[in-house]
Amino acid sequence: MAGLVLSFISVLVIIYVVPFLVYGVFTKITDLKPPEGVSPAQFLFGIFVSKVGTAIAFVAIFYIARAIFDQQWLLYAFLWWLMFVIGEIGQAIGPNYTWKEATAGIISETIYFPLAAFVMKVIL
């Protein structure tokens, strides 16, 4: 049980912190702006809640299917990456989301899914 909790915390930290670093860089090198009409605290809390759900699912599915994914953790990360990249593209096609935001999201996911899967595999 301690491994599951440590995995969840580790994955949550990785998938919460990496996007801030990537979006921070994107803000400096492009004209990416933070969302308007919402306070920074409300925005960060909303992101946190979303990432908690992702971390729970990421760890739980891996744990349940670890007999399959233990040696194929990179495949596991790739499947999650693919799902989220398709989501980023879908959001960019729709309103109120730019291709700059989608690109930053895809870069973030390219970093944090393999990193989170590796750390989780080592812990579990």
Side-chain angles (χ1 to χ4, degrees), residues 4-115:
L4 279 175
V5 172
L6 184 57
S7 291
F8 165 74
I9 292 168
S10 299
V11 167
L12 179 59
V13 168
I14 290 166
I15 68 175
Y16 189 69
V17 171
V18 168
F20 285 109
L21 301 174
V22 171
Y23 279 84
V25 169
F26 253 69
T27 299
K28 292 292 184 192
I29 63 174
T30 70
D31 195 26
L32 186 63
K33 302 284 186 214
E36 294 181 17
V38 63
S39 74
Q42 185 180 11
F43 175 71
L44 293 175
F45 185 68
I47 296 293
F48 180 76
V49 170
S50 174
K51 297 299 184 180
V52 166
T54 301
I56 289 170
F58 191 80
V59 173
I61 293 169
F62 184 87
Y63 184 76
I64 292 166
R66 66 187 177 280
I68 298 168
F69 288 118
D70 188 52
Q71 298 302 315
Q72 297 184 27
W73 59 270
L74 201 51
L75 172 62
Y76 183 75
F78 172 76
L79 294 172
W80 277 85
W81 175 85
L82 182 62
M83 178 175 59
F84 274 65
V85 165
I86 291 169
E88 293 284 355
I89 292 168
Q91 283 187 285
I93 291 170
N96 304 324
Y97 199 75
T98 67
W99 283 102
K100 289 179 190 175
E101 291 168 312
T103 301
I106 291 168
I107 292 169
S108 297
E109 291 145 4
T110 301
I111 297 167
Y112 73 64
F113 276 125
L115 180 59

